[in-house]
Amino acid sequence: MSARPVAPASRRGAGRRRHEPDRRQRILEVTLDVIAAHGVAGTTHRKVAAAADVPLGAMTYYFRGLADLLSSAFTVLAQRWGDAFESAMAAVPQGADPREAVADAVLAGLADDADTDPVTGSRRQAVLAYELYALAARDPAVREVTQAWMERTRAALRRHFAPEDARVLDALVEGLTLHAVLSTEPLDPARFRADVARLAPPPLARPVSP
């Protein structure tokens, strides 16, 4: 599941001092920018250090290696997405259809960082999702990140769906998201919402406490 991102760090880090206390966190934010621009395969310590405006030696000070940097950056991303999705599911009004909230939460996460219109989005979040999936398929440490993300998502869905239905709905939405990432056509929010409404299992009659 996706979460509504903050503006990329590379667009808001200009003028920062070199020895700021949040340097590690800022490096992780910039790492996501570099991954979005160059892919995991094109991400290096040197590129991240240059984009973050930190000495190259800072990379080895904060991270054990490139694998640690990538895993840590994707952990930040997955936590952000999980936070946003949990909030969306918790905020569904009594009597509302939670399937609509599921679709809206995913669409918000796929929208451009500076534009809430999913149709005109930059696909940055979609690219990051694809890169996360691809790396997790090969790296057990990153697969632990995606597993924790899925568990949070399914727990949030179980507020409104039976446990087995929550698992199926999570897989359904991930599949629809992956199709949106790979498609050459712009994401159609109306079609996405209709697909979720048509294919999702029925919600519980009353939401349950987490």
Side-chain angles (χ1 to χ4, degrees):
M1 295 295 172
S2 316
R4 186 66 184 163
V6 297
S10 60
R11 297 210 293 261
R12 63 179 193 276
R16 286 180 179 266
R17 291 166 46 178
R18 285 183 174 274
H19 299 290
E20 75 274 20
D22 63 343
R23 174 182 279 185
R24 184 181 187 277
Q25 179 65 25
R26 186 166 66 85
I27 290 173
L28 292 175
E29 298 288 355
V30 172
T31 299
L32 295 173
D33 293 347
V34 174
I35 293 171
H38 302 283
V40 165
T43 297
T44 64
H45 281 312
R46 189 173 299 277
K47 285 181 181 176
V48 173
D53 190 25
V54 299
L56 186 59
M59 306 305 297
T60 55
Y61 176 80
Y62 288 109
F63 305 99
R64 294 187 300 273
L66 186 59
D68 183 33
L69 173 65
L70 294 172
S71 177
S72 298
F74 278 128
T75 296
V76 169
L77 185 70
Q79 288 175 343
R80 184 172 300 151
W81 284 346
D83 290 345
F85 192 75
E86 285 180 349
S87 295
M89 290 298 96
V92 176
Q94 181 68 35
D97 189 341
R99 292 171 294 190
E100 295 180 3
V102 170
D104 287 343
V106 175
L107 288 169
L110 291 175
D112 180 25
D113 303 335
D115 187 340
T116 58
D117 184 0
V119 177
T120 59
S122 69
R123 297 175 63 85
R124 177 180 184 273
Q125 295 303 299
V127 168
L128 286 173
Y130 176 81
E131 293 288 341
L132 173 56
Y133 296 152
L135 185 60
R138 299 187 301 271
D139 188 330
V142 179
R143 198 150 56 244
E144 291 182 7
V145 175
T146 57
Q147 181 64 34
W149 174 27
M150 287 190 297
E151 289 174 359
R152 288 188 69 186
T153 299
R154 293 172 186 177
L157 288 170
R158 286 195 294 270
R159 295 176 66 103
H160 304 281
F161 299 89
E164 188 62 21
D165 288 343
R167 183 187 64 81
V168 171
L169 179 55
D170 183 44
L172 166 67
V173 174
E174 290 296 343
L176 291 174
T177 302
L178 185 58
H179 275 227
V181 173
L182 299 177
S183 177
T184 58
E185 300 178 356
L187 176 63
D188 183 342
R191 178 182 296 177
F192 190 92
R193 290 189 180 93
D195 288 342
V196 171
R198 179 167 53 88
L199 299 174
L204 299 171
R206 295 180 61 85
V208 297
S209 299

